[in-house]
Amino acid sequence: MLYIHNTLTRKKEEFEPIDAADVRMYVCGPTVYDFAHLGNARPIVVFDVLYRLLQRLYPRVTYVRNITDIEDKIMDRARENGETIESLTARTTQAFHDDMAALNALPPTVEPRATQYIGDMVAMIEKLVAKGHAYVAEGHVLFNVPSMGNYGELSRRSRDELVAGARVDVAPYKKDAADFVLWKPSAPEQDGWDSPWGRGRPGWHIECSAMAEKNLGATFDIHGGGLDLIFPHHENEIAQSRCAHDGAVLANYWMHNGFLTVNNDKMSKSLKNFFTVRELLAHAPGEALRLALLSGHYRSPLDFSIEALQAAKAKLDRWYGALRVVAYEPYVDCNPPSSFEGALLDDMNTSLAISHIDKLVNNIHAKRITEGDDAAKNELLSCARALGLLYQNPEEWFKWKPAGQSGLSDEEINAQIAARLAARQAKNYAESDRIRDALAAQGVILEDGPAGTTWRRG
Ligand code: AMP
Ligand code: ZN
């Protein structure tokens, strides 16, 4: 029996699928304008563990995770770079796929891209207008929040909080301060699509509602994403979809991962305290990043540090040492024992699951279980792979070295750090990021702290 914490009810509930023959899940995917940072990877890895678990429990799982490839941040970045949104999003989508594959995240069943669903978004907006839930004003189409009696059930915000949250984009044409955009006009030089309301582009929230409807139907089982998406994104997805579907529930279970933090601040582009997956992969194997992301409960904040990453790498060295003893297999066709699975069935208690593997590994090392012990091998591999780990041959694992093994001297590194600081002060973030990435590619990791930038060789 699977139990999951449902944000809608704020309770741990037994999971009961709508159709046990096909469990359906939607997770909000990335906005592809830049490299993913490790915080962005947390929902991908967390919901990948859930996807693997559901696949063991049910014959078929339809997992939809979108790519947001039209959004103002993408348009701004493409303009800055002097390239089309198509070339920017093609490159960053590829980088996202490569990075997530390095973290052993399985591809979702369907990966819809927003630009391929504009017609469905327009159709859904037209439905909302016809039903009196949306209105046209100055080339925009807005969702009218007071038209939905039970708006706000997911985030449980008061009217004052809703208005404060929506205040960021005050617009004179809004009927209500909490109303949000479904469609907005594009200037001639901006990307846009023809619509009944003129040439324009969709708002972010309607993108997910339309992609979910098309791929999973009006109602599905699980909807996931990071904690920061509860309001306004998921609240507005619910409003759009329920009002378009005569009140039908959008998803029965809502799941949200907590933040990855750095010194207790949310890792984010805006705070500039992030590490891209790309730069960290030069410093540690993807499985070590993945284990670090799974070391705490998915709903709790998780503080990231280079030390935590090194600890994850050291733990995997020990696990791979045990795998060497019992012998590596590329495929294992048994499920983990119930003593392990029980931890994951209890709202994905990955840290308990990891401690189960630790005990097994200690046993293998202590008892010097002889090569070819099939029971120990099957248990080790089935448990580790339930977490998406231990896919490599131990011999390859132990050959791993930080990329580049930098030949840079301390003086050269310090000069690069000074150049990066100068670029930042000149607000030339493209150049400062380039320097950081170039150093990372040579195995030098920068850490920005209150006392300035420090660095380590990978
Ligand atoms: P964004 O590109 O900001 O829309 O984020 C993509 C996904 O990453 C969303 O599900 C966010 O909730 C999630 N996310 C962003 N930053 C973090 C973080 N520091 N920790 C955990 N999840 C995050
Ligand atoms: Zn979404």
Side-chain angles (χ1 to χ4, degrees), residues 360-420:
L360 178 62
V361 163
N362 286 346
N363 243 353
I364 293 172
H365 283 297
K367 289 190 187 153
R368 304 197 193 291
I369 287 176
T370 48
E371 190 170 334
D373 181 326
D374 281 350
K377 175 174 72 185
N378 286 340
E379 184 170 351
L380 177 60
L381 285 178
S382 61
C383 294
R385 288 180 186 172
L387 298 177
L389 297 165
L390 289 197
Y391 277 96
Q392 292 183 36
N393 187 318
E395 305 319 316
E396 282 164 36
W397 171 266
F398 285 113
K399 274 188 212 150
W400 186 88
K401 284 197 186 69
Q405 288 284 20
S406 172
L408 293 179
S409 67
D410 294 9
E411 289 73 11
E412 284 166 330
I413 293 166
N414 288 331
Q416 287 299 303
I417 290 172
R420 176 169 170 265

Side-chain angles (χ1 to χ4, degrees), residues 26-29 66 68 204-205 207-209 211 223-224 229 233-234 237 254:
Y26 186 96
V27 173
C28 295
N66 71 289
T68 294
W204 173 37
H205 316 306
E207 295 184 5
C208 283
S209 282
M211 288 185 274
H223 194 311
L229 300 188
H233 186 55
H234 288 164
E237 274 187 42
W254 286 80

